[in-house]
Amino acid sequence: MKRVLIVDDEPAVADVLEFALQKAGFSVDTAGTVAAARRALRNTAPDFVVLDLGLPDGDGVELCRWLRERSQVPVLMLTCRDEEIDRVLGLEQGADDYVVKPFSPREVVARIRSILRRTTPSQPQGELRHGAMTMRPHEHRVTVDQHVVDLTPREFDLLQTLLENPQRVFSRGSLVEQAYRGESVVSGRTVDSHIKGIRRKFAQARPGFDPIETVYGVGYRAKAEA
């Protein structure tokens, strides 16, 4: 049974989600503050986190960043904010997807199942190499110069899609269909945010290394090896 942690300070929202998730066969824990969420994350090791961006004692984006420094557990953001920048910031800090309030509990359950399917390997896959970088999809592991690069599930899927099709230029729409499976409403800005996250993490592991080429006016492709 997969364990989901709901982080939301609105009891009505948390109760509705808890009921829907338990009915769908998930084990559920809840937290209403950043402090309570950190305790739960340390003590319960959930398989999935549903995270509200607006919390009474801190910012959900900062909590997402704190979590990403310690774990690659999938994160679905909840937000009632209209500004796109808030969602983009959350995605840049490692969230896998977002839902804007008000939402359907059935949609949230469907999103969670979709993300878990993508992040749970179904069968071993071959190793992918790109210069000093090695990707092992069956281990969900990427290294460059033997240094592990901690990609989020979404970042991993994007990079794998590009590396498996080294000559192809992907539009943002094509990446949504292939890397995101077309199963959630994702904008081109979301794709750009995840590409930016991939590049930042590789630059931290090996300055100057970037496996992705931007094809201006079109999209992205795997960069030709030197």
Side-chain angles (χ1 to χ4, degrees):
M1 181 181 292
K2 296 289 186 180
R3 180 181 293 272
V4 178
L5 173 64
I6 300 170
V7 185
D8 196 303
D9 65 322
E10 297 182 58
V13 173
D15 289 347
V16 168
L17 284 178
E18 182 175 10
F19 177 79
L21 286 166
Q22 288 177 337
K23 187 176 179 181
F26 292 94
S27 173
V28 180
D29 298 301
T30 62
T33 64
V34 170
R38 289 187 178 185
R39 286 195 298 271
L41 288 163
R42 291 190 186 103
N43 297 332
T44 64
D47 300 296
F48 200 99
V49 176
V50 179
L51 173 61
D52 186 18
L53 286 186
L55 296 168
D57 61 337
D59 190 339
V61 172
E62 291 300 319
L63 178 59
C64 187
R65 182 188 318 188
W66 177 88
L67 175 58
R68 273 294 165 261
E69 292 172 351
R70 295 158 175 80
S71 170
Q72 293 304 309
V73 61
V75 175
L76 176 69
M77 296 185 303
L78 303 179
T79 176
C80 59
R81 305 176 187 179
D82 295 328
E83 295 84 354
E84 183 184 24
I85 187 62
D86 294 311
R87 298 192 292 273
V88 171
L89 283 173
L91 293 168
E92 288 182 344
Q93 295 307 319
D96 295 278
D97 206 346
Y98 66 86
V99 175
V100 178
K101 296 179 181 179
F103 52 78
S104 161
R106 292 179 63 186
E107 179 188 3
V108 173
V109 171
R111 296 278 187 102
I112 291 172
R113 283 176 166 163
S114 172
I115 293 170
L116 285 172
R117 282 197 300 270
R118 287 196 299 270
T119 56
T120 303
S122 57
Q123 61 183 5
Q125 298 174 314
E127 187 175 270
L128 297 170
R129 292 182 178 273
H130 189 281
M133 184 199 72
T134 300
M135 170 180 274
R136 298 183 178 90
H138 59 289
E139 298 177 8
H140 195 85
R141 180 182 176 90
V142 177
T143 58
V144 58
D145 289 337
Q146 305 305 314
H147 298 292
V148 175
V149 181
D150 290 322
L151 300 180
T152 68
R154 274 285 172 80
E155 292 168 348
F156 193 96
D157 288 346
L158 274 174
L159 183 59
Q160 183 178 353
T161 298
L162 294 172
L163 293 179
E164 288 179 339
N165 302 272
Q167 304 302 318
R168 178 176 173 182
V169 179
F170 285 87
S171 67
R172 290 163 177 82
S174 294
L175 284 172
V176 168
E177 288 298 319
Q178 300 233 3
Y180 296 76
R181 313 302 199 263
E183 294 176 350
S184 54
V185 180
V186 178
S187 69
R189 186 72 178 271
T190 302
V191 175
D192 292 340
S193 295
H194 285 137
I195 294 290
K196 180 180 177 182
I198 293 169
R199 286 171 162 162
R200 182 180 67 249
K201 291 174 181 178
F202 273 109
Q204 291 170 348
R206 181 183 178 181
F209 182 82
D210 181 1
I212 300 172
E213 177 184 358
T214 299
V215 182
Y216 292 98
V218 183
Y220 300 99
R221 68 181 167 200
K223 186 178 291 184
E225 296 183 49

